[in-house]
């Protein structure tokens, strides 16, 4: 056995994962070059070699959960994280001139992909599974939870920052009779979203959040803050405050993490979310200090595990149609690594899903938490 293979076996054994073992979460190596590539390239080599078929794992989500719980990503080539870390210190990857890059790269992949993967409303954020047993009901419950947390009343003017295909905007306008302006940086989302919101008091715009003007009774942002970036957190909070009426509420729904990092891992940055960054509670609190009063904090990150597994099941159920639409085996393996790897991240409690309700001056008689 070569030294590289033995080293990789030793590393994964820390997490009780065997190379070419018989359990569903064991790694099956198809090409022996995998060992040296993994040791040389770390996280990005691990993901890329999976995409290229150098190794397989039946229960990829379980394996990633075990890897993260054992903190294995810090056991291999930590220097590989240095370059993106240093770049994030000196470059504002989420500056205004780059605002539409993530829309073009990720959200404009194709509406046909997302229509096959998501629920009928096309909510591309964590569902709320407290009383749900399927994706459709979990997403309906999440949208209603947001509306109730914000105390929506007929006639209110609502801003949805990062509106996607308009899932929240359509739900709020239909069920709570409010007027919604949604903004996104994805042309594909706007094209389909406007069709899905026809007949409702909803306007969707292709617009960066920094360019929005007006006054709103309520502001919501579901799954967009992950693209804002540390250098822009204060600007983001101040812009929301400027747009929110004095007695209004702002609900921020975002993935977060335990330890501060200024960039996502190299594989995710290259293939899924360029310029992405997960905030910590401290970073968010610092940005909101002197701007907002924190009224409520709700963590239901384990629900994202269920949501991601449901999305993966939908992709698997539609593989033939997706292949016919041009999503080849390479893409499928990339997307599987993304979805199941993310599921493992939430299952291991490395990542979280937070909903935070803010006010500008406090709520008279106190805010009543809703679950």
């Amino acid at each position: 056995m070569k030294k590289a293979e033995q080293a990789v076996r030793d590393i994964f054994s820390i997490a009780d994962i065997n190379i070419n073992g018989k359990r569903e979460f064991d790694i099956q190596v198809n090409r022996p070059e995998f060992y040296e590539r993994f040791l040389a390239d770390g996280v990005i080599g691990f993901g890329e070699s999976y995409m290229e078929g150098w190794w397989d794992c039946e229960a990829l989500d379980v394996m990633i959960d075990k890897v993260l719980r054992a903190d294995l990503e810090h056991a291999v080539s930590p220097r590989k994280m240095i370059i993106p870390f240093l770049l994030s210190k000196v470059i504002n990857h989420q500056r205004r001139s780059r605002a539409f890059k993530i829309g073009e790269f990720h959200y404009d992949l194709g509406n046909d992909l997302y229509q096959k993967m998501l629920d009928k409303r096309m909510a591309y954020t964590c569902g709320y599974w407290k009383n749900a047993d399927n994706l459709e009901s979990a997403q309906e419950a999440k949208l209603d939870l947001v509306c109730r947390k914000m105390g929506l009343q007929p006639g209110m003017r609502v801003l949805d920052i990062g509106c996607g295909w308009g899932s929240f905007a359509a739900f709020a306008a239909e069920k709570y009779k409010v007027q919604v302006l949604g903004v996104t940086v994805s042309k594909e989302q706007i094209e389909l979203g406007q069709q899905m919101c026809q007949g409702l008091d909803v306007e969707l715009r292709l617009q960066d959040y920094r360019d929005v003007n007006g006054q709103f009774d309520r502001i919501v942002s579901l799954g967009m803050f992950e693209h804002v970036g540390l250098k822009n957190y204060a600007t983001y909070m101040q812009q929301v405050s400027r747009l929110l009426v004095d007695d209004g509420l702002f609900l921020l729904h975002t993935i977060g993490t335990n330890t501060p990092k200024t960039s996502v891992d190299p594989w995710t940055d290259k293939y899924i979310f360029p310029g992405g960054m997960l905030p910590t509670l401290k970073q968010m609190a610092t940005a909101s200090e002197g701007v907002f009063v924190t009224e409520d904090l709700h963590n239901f990150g384990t629900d994202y595990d269920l949501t991601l597994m449901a999305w993966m099941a939908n992709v698997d159920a539609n593989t033939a149609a997706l292949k016919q639409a041009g999503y080849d085996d390479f893409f499928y393996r990339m997307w599987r690594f993304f979805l199941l790897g993310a599921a493992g991240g939430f299952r291991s409690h490395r990542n979280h899903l937070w909903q935070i309700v803010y006010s500008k001056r406090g709520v008279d008689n106190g805010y009543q938490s809703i679950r």
Side-chain angles (χ1 to χ4, degrees), residues 66-131:
K66 293 172 74 66
V67 163
L68 293 175
R69 288 178 186 270
D71 202 30
L72 290 196
E73 75 269 32
H74 295 114
V76 183
S77 298
R79 67 183 184 279
K80 296 295 178 181
M81 295 295 293
I82 283 293
I83 292 177
F85 174 77
L86 292 178
L87 285 175
S88 69
K89 287 291 188 182
V90 298
I91 299 174
N92 183 355
H93 289 290
Q94 301 84 14
R95 60 186 180 273
R96 191 188 300 259
S97 62
R98 292 169 57 93
F100 292 85
K101 180 179 179 180
I102 184 60
E104 296 168 357
F105 189 92
H106 186 88
Y107 299 104
D108 288 350
L109 275 172
N111 286 330
D112 49 359
L113 167 66
Y114 294 110
Q115 284 174 309
K116 294 289 191 297
M117 184 177 85
L118 306 177
D119 64 298
K120 64 182 180 182
R121 288 187 179 273
M122 296 188 70
Y124 195 18
T125 49
C126 179
Y128 190 51
W129 293 79
K130 182 178 180 181
N131 297 310

Side-chain angles (χ1 to χ4, degrees), residues 119-153:
D119 64 298
K120 64 182 180 182
R121 288 187 179 273
M122 296 188 70
Y124 195 18
T125 49
C126 179
Y128 190 51
W129 293 79
K130 182 178 180 181
N131 297 310
D133 59 5
N134 61 75
L135 182 63
E136 297 290 341
S137 57
Q139 292 294 10
E140 289 274 322
K142 184 269 301 297
L143 295 173
D144 194 59
L145 179 71
V146 171
C147 293
R148 289 186 292 119
K149 283 185 175 183
M150 291 196 298
L152 293 189
Q153 298 295 326

Side-chain angles (χ1 to χ4, degrees), residues 56 117 206 237 320:
D56 282 296
M117 184 177 85
L206 186 68
M237 293 294 184

